[in-house]
Amino acid sequence: MAADPPYLRIAGDIRRRIDSGELAPGDRVPSTRHITREWGVAMATATKALAALGQEGLVRAVPGVGTVVAEPVRAHHAVPGRALTRARIVRAAITLVDTEGFPALSMRRVATEFGVSTMALYRHVPNKGELVRLMSEEVFREEPTGPRPSGWRERLTLEARWLWQRYERHPWLARALAALTRPMASPHAMRYTERILSAVNGLGLTPDQMLHVHLSLLGYAQGIATAIELEAQARQDTGMTPEEWLASNEPRMEAIQITGAYPVLSTLFDRDGFDLELGTLFEFGLERILDGVEVLIEQPRRAAHRSSPGPGPRPSGPGPRPSTSDLHPSGP
C-alpha cells in the first residue's frame, strides 16, 4: 500500500494535535513557513496541508493573525432570536468573508452561523452567485455623506475615495466585482455609476468617453484593491508580515542586484525612505487619471482656440481710409 503524500501526513499530525487538545480553538496552527522548517518540505506542500485541514473545517484563516483552529461546528438547530431572513443571511456572509476571506464563503459555511441546514438557506437565497451579488449590493447601499463639491474633479475624487474605502473595509469586494465586462444588475452599485457619470455630464465628453472615465476609475481602484486581499492571504500562508517577508528575501535580492543588471532599480531601492503603502499608491494613481481626464475635457476647447482666426496684419503703408459709413453701416 502506497504511503500518504507528505501534505496528508503533515495534515494528519496537526489534526492529532487538535484532537488531543494541544491546539485549542482559536490557537494558531503552524504557518506554512513553520511547516517548511519543521517537516523539511516545499512551501507548496505546506500550503496543501493547511488547505486540507481547512476543507475538513478544522482550521480557518483570520486576516492579520494567520490560520487558527476553528470552533467546533454547532449542531443544526435554530438559534434563538436569529430567524432566517435574506437580510440576516447577507449580513452574516459579509461578516464571514470580512473575517476569514472570500475562499471561506459557501452556503454550507453560512448555514453553520445560524445552526441550520444548507437547504434552509436556499429558501431565501437561490445560490452562492446570488448571495455574492446581494453582499456587493449591501456594501454599496451607503452613500457619501456631507456636502457635495461642485467641480467635476472634486466630485470624482470624492467618489473614487468612497469606493476605495469600501475595498479597504471589504477586501473581497474587488474579486466579487472583478468582471468589468459582466456588470451585475444592482441598483445600489448603479447609483455609484450614476454619480460618476453626473460629475462629467455636460463637459463636452461623448457618451463613450463618459463611460470610459467611469470604467477607468473603477478598474484602477479594483486593481489596487486586489493587493489588499492578496496580502491578507500571503500573511496567512506564510505567517510573515510584509517587512518580515522582505527581510527573508533580502539575501536573494542583494545577490541579483550586485550583478549590475538593474542599475536604476538598484539605485532606487538602495536609498532609505520608500515604503509601499497601498493608500498612498492609490492616491498617486488617482491624481494621474484625473490629470488625463482634465486633458480630455480641455482638448476641444484648445482645438477651437487654435483654429479661431486672430486679428489680421495692420497695413504698413499709406492707403485708403475707411469711410464713416464703412465703420457704422446704417443699413441697405
Side-chain angles (χ1 to χ4, degrees):
M1 182 176 176
D4 288 337
Y7 82 92
L8 286 181
R9 293 199 298 271
I10 297 169
D13 193 351
I14 298 175
R15 187 188 304 108
R16 284 189 290 273
R17 298 186 194 181
I18 295 173
D19 292 341
S20 68
E22 180 183 346
L23 291 172
D27 288 347
R28 281 191 61 181
V29 300
S31 65
T32 50
R33 183 183 177 200
H34 183 91
I35 291 172
T36 58
R37 291 200 307 262
E38 183 175 346
W39 279 274
V41 295
M43 185 68 73
T45 301
T47 301
K48 288 179 67 176
L50 292 181
L53 292 169
Q55 291 172 355
E56 295 179 39
L58 293 175
V59 300
R60 63 186 182 92
V62 178
V65 176
T67 304
V68 303
V69 178
E71 296 287 342
V73 177
R74 298 184 292 270
H76 290 314
H77 63 276
V79 179
R82 297 197 72 192
L84 279 183
T85 65
R86 173 177 286 191
R88 285 176 175 165
I89 291 171
V90 171
R91 286 196 294 269
I94 291 175
T95 300
L96 170 65
V97 294
D98 282 350
T99 304
E100 301 186 22
F102 197 76
L105 181 64
S106 69
M107 299 295 280
R108 180 172 180 243
R109 180 68 177 80
V110 176
T112 64
E113 295 296 309
F114 293 91
V116 300
S117 68
T118 306
M119 290 304 299
L121 260 62
Y122 288 124
R123 300 189 187 101
H124 301 272
V125 182
N127 51 56
K128 180 180 174 181
E130 177 64 6
L131 177 58
V132 172
R133 188 193 72 80
L134 292 170
M135 292 163 60
S136 303
E137 178 76 342
E138 181 64 24
V139 170
F140 275 91
R141 180 185 296 274
E142 179 187 355
E143 296 188 7
T145 58
R148 300 291 177 87
S150 57
W152 68 263
R153 183 166 185 138
E154 292 75 14
R155 290 173 67 182
L156 290 184
T157 299
L158 173 69
E159 295 296 345
R161 287 174 177 169
W162 176 88
L163 180 62
W164 177 252
Q165 291 170 357
R166 306 281 83 70
Y167 286 135
E168 284 187 310
R169 296 175 189 173
H170 311 284
W172 53 270
L173 185 62
R175 186 189 303 197
L177 300 178
L180 289 177
T181 56
R182 299 188 180 187
M184 295 182 290
S186 301
H188 295 313
M190 291 167 69
R191 275 203 288 271
Y192 163 78
T193 300
E194 179 68 16
R195 297 196 302 270
I196 291 289
L197 296 178
S198 297
V200 294
N201 190 36
L203 299 177
L205 301 182
T206 67
D208 282 357
Q209 288 173 332
M210 291 171 62
L211 287 170
H212 281 140
V213 168
H214 159 57
L215 293 174
S216 295
L217 287 169
L218 178 63
Y220 169 69
Q222 282 180 307
I224 301 296
T226 56
I228 302 176
E229 185 182 24
L230 291 173
E231 169 53 33
Q233 184 65 43
R235 185 174 297 201
Q236 168 197 325
D237 292 342
T238 65
M240 292 186 285
T241 65
E243 295 75 19
E244 292 170 339
W245 185 88
L246 286 172
S248 69
N249 281 272
E250 189 172 351
R252 183 181 300 175
M253 295 291 290
E254 288 181 350
I256 295 174
Q257 290 181 22
I258 62 175
T259 64
Y262 311 98
V264 177
L265 181 62
S266 299
T267 301
L268 293 177
F269 280 93
D270 279 344
R271 68 185 185 87
D272 294 329
F274 180 77
D275 183 21
L276 178 57
E277 201 278 318
L278 293 178
T280 302
L281 177 61
F282 171 77
E283 289 289 338
F284 177 86
L286 173 61
E287 289 301 313
R288 305 293 74 76
I289 291 176
L290 296 180
D291 288 344
V293 174
E294 184 169 354
V295 171
L296 184 65
I297 293 172
E298 293 295 329
Q299 275 179 345
R301 301 175 188 173
R302 292 173 181 171
H305 178 74
R306 287 195 298 268
S307 62
S308 62
R314 287 176 170 271
S316 57
R321 299 177 62 85
S323 66
T324 305
S325 62
D326 290 332
L327 294 176
H328 303 287
S330 58

